[in-house]
Amino acid sequence: MKRHLRAFVLPLFSTLALLSATSAPAQISGPPPAQEKPVEYQLPNGFTVIIKPDRRAPTAVHMVYVRVGSMDEVDGSTGLAHMLEHMMFKGTKDVKPGEFSRRVAALGGRENAFTTRDNTGFYQQIPASRLEDVIKLESDRFAHNQWPDDEFKRELEVVKEERRMRTDDNPRAQLFEQLSAEAYMASPYRRPVVGWMSDLDSMQADDARNFYKRWYVPANAAVVIAGDVDVAKVRQLVDKYYGSIPAHAVPTRKPREEPEQHGIRRLDFKAPADQSYVALAFKVPQLRNFDNSVETNDALALTVLGAVLDGYEGARLDRALTQGPDRVADSVSAGNGLSGRGPQMFTMTGVPAKGKTPEQVEAALRAEIAKVARDGVSEAELNRVKVRWVAGEVYKLDSLMNQARELGGNWIVGLPLDADQRLLDRLRAVTADQVKAVAAKYFGDDQLTVGVLRPLPVDPNRKPRTPTVQIHHE
C-alpha cells in the first residue's frame, strides 16, 4: 500500500509515476540542485522553528505541526485530535468562526489542515509579502482557540458525515479499519483517526477543550516556513508572535508497546461490494534513526523490496499477478510503512480476477515474496528503483509544500533536518542480498494479519450519499 509510506517517500513514488521506464539515468543520477539549507532553532517557550529559504518564486508556505494525533487518544474518546483540528477553524477572541479562512483567502492564499495517527498539521500558502499576516493569525488560534458549544455541535455533525462518506460507505476503508483493530492489540494505531461513531456520538465540547489545553502547548509543536523569505526577518516575526505564547509542560506519554504476535490472524468482513478484496499486513521494524542497526537496515531493505514489487509500471506483482490469460488479480499493490511514531507494517493487497478467490490472490502474493527470498532480485531491478528515487528527490524540490511537509514530518518522528538526503543515500546503498534477507525474515505467519472483504449483493436502487454538510478539510 503506497499510501502507508511515510511522507518523505511518497513524493518520490508520485513523481516517479510521471517518468517513463526509459528515462536516461545520466540526466538524473547526480545530486539535487543546490538549495539553501534549512535552519532550525527553539524559542524559549519550547516551540521548534524550521525555516527553509527557496527564492524561486515570491510565495511562502507556513505550517504548524502539533505532535498529537489519534495515537494520543484513549478508548472512549477516539476522534478527538481530528475533531479539534476542525474546531481550530472556529475562532478566537478576536477572530470569529469561519473568519480565519476568509482572511487567508483575502490575502490571496489557500489553507487547510490534516490529522493523522501521529500529528495534526495546519498550513497556508500565501504571497511572501503577506507572511506576517498568517503568522499572526495562526499563532493567535494556537494560543487562544475558543468557541461556543453550538459551534461544536454543528461541527461534530460535519465530522460524523465525513466518517460516513469516507469510511462507512467504503467497504475497503472499513476493511482496513478492522484490519488495524485486529493486527494491533495494545498500540493506539488500532483505532481509526476519525474515531469510532459511538465515540463521536458521545463526544462533548469540553472533551475537545481539554484535549486542546493538554496538547497544544509550544513544546509540542513546530513552525515550518518555506519560500521566498529572509531568515533573519522571519525569525523576528516568529519570535514576536509565537515567542509570546506561555510555556507549558508536555504531558508524559506512557509507553503502549505492541506485544509480540504468535500466529496468523484473520478476519472476514462482509459488505455490499462489486468485488472481493484481500489485504495482508505483516509487522516489520521501523526507521527510528539512521544508525547502522539491524532494525534500521532492515526497514530500509523492506522499503526497497516494496518498490521492487510495486514501485513502477510493470513491476513484479503487476507482471506476475495481473497479466496474461492465467492472471489471478485485477489489481495488486505492496509497500512498506517505514516510519512513524508507532509500529509499522508491510502491506500487500489484491482484487481477485473473475473466477479467482481471495485465497488464490493471497497465495499468489505470498509466493512472490517467497520467490524473492529464494532467488533474490536482480541488479537491474534495484537500479531502476534507485534511479527513480533520485529523480523523485530532484523534482520534489519544485514544490514548496512538499519541502515544508517533509521538514515537519521528519520533526514529528524525531528525524534530523537532512533526513531526506540521508534516507536517499541509505536506500541507494541497499544491496540485493539485503532485500533477499528481509524477504526471508519478516513474512511468516507470526507477523501476518489477513483481512478479506466478502462481497454482499449491492442494492441496485441505492443512491450515492449526498453530503448534507460541507467537508473541506483533509
Side-chain angles (χ1 to χ4, degrees), residues 6 33 49 67-68 90 114 145 165 175 233 255 265 279 301 384 430:
R6 272 270 295 112
V49 182
R67 193 175 274 150
V68 65
K90 296 302 178 182
F114 55 89
N145 179 232
M165 291 185 63
L175 174 69
K233 291 182 180 177
R265 297 175 186 168
R384 174 174 288 184
V430 171

Side-chain angles (χ1 to χ4, degrees), residues 202-225:
S202 62
M203 190 177 289
Q204 302 296 315
D206 280 346
D207 296 332
R209 293 189 181 104
N210 292 335
F211 195 82
Y212 166 71
K213 292 175 184 175
R214 180 177 174 84
W215 294 111
Y216 279 57
V217 297
N220 199 40
V223 181
V224 183
I225 296 172

Side-chain angles (χ1 to χ4, degrees), residues 71 180 184-191 256-259 342-343:
M71 73 172 296
S180 293
Y184 296 124
M185 298 179 64
S187 170
Y189 273 14
R190 72 187 312 274
R191 300 188 293 259
R256 287 177 283 182
E257 297 294 331
E258 182 66 21

Side-chain angles (χ1 to χ4, degrees), residues 141-152:
R141 74 171 171 179
F142 183 92
H144 304 116
N145 179 232
Q146 64 180 46
W147 26 262
D149 286 2
D150 286 349
E151 284 291 342
F152 176 86

Side-chain angles (χ1 to χ4, degrees), residues 143-363:
H144 304 116
N145 179 232
Q146 64 180 46
W147 26 262
D149 286 2
D150 286 349
E151 284 291 342
F152 176 86
K153 292 176 182 176
R154 282 193 288 270
E155 197 64 22
L156 185 58
E157 295 307 311
V158 174
V159 170
K160 289 180 182 178
E161 187 74 354
E162 185 175 346
R163 184 191 157 82
R164 293 185 191 101
M165 291 185 63
R166 295 181 175 175
T167 304
D168 296 345
D169 287 355
N170 185 331
R172 293 184 188 177
Q174 289 185 73
L175 174 69
F176 272 103
E177 187 174 85
Q178 299 210 7
L179 186 71
S180 293
E182 182 71 23
Y184 296 124
M185 298 179 64
S187 170
Y189 273 14
R190 72 187 312 274
R191 300 188 293 259
V193 173
V194 70
W196 301 115
M197 186 59 90
S198 60
D199 289 349
L200 297 178
D201 286 337
S202 62
M203 190 177 289
Q204 302 296 315
D206 280 346
D207 296 332
R209 293 189 181 104
N210 292 335
F211 195 82
Y212 166 71
K213 292 175 184 175
R214 180 177 174 84
W215 294 111
Y216 279 57
V217 297
N220 199 40
V223 181
V224 183
I225 296 172
D228 185 17
V229 298
D230 177 82
V231 172
K233 291 182 180 177
V234 171
R235 289 189 70 145
Q236 290 178 353
L237 295 175
V238 170
D239 294 358
K240 175 182 178 181
Y241 292 104
Y242 286 102
S244 61
I245 299 174
H248 293 283
V250 180
T252 301
R253 291 180 165 98
K254 295 185 177 180
R256 287 177 283 182
E257 297 294 331
E258 182 66 21
E260 187 175 352
Q261 184 173 336
H262 298 282
I264 195 168
R265 297 175 186 168
R266 291 187 179 274
L267 71 94
D268 277 354
F269 178 75
K270 299 178 182 178
D274 295 324
Q275 288 181 288
S276 56
Y277 183 75
V278 59
L280 284 63
F282 298 88
K283 292 192 174 77
V284 292
Q286 64 192 109
L287 180 76
R288 301 176 189 271
N289 52 53
F290 290 101
D291 293 348
N292 189 27
S293 64
V294 172
E295 183 180 55
T296 295
N297 292 334
D298 284 358
L300 294 166
L302 285 160
T303 299
V304 175
L305 172 61
V308 168
L309 292 171
D310 186 35
Y312 53 92
E313 290 288 334
R316 279 196 173 215
L317 290 185
D318 191 43
R319 281 187 283 115
L321 274 65
T322 71
Q323 299 179 13
D326 298 325
R327 63 191 182 92
V328 297
D330 285 344
S331 65
V332 288
S333 73
N336 186 39
L338 187 59
S339 73
R341 290 174 54 205
Q344 298 298 305
M345 293 194 292
F346 189 106
T347 54
M348 306 178 79
T349 70
V351 177
K354 186 176 181 181
K356 304 296 182 182
T357 67
E359 288 72 22
Q360 288 173 301
V361 174
E362 176 190 339

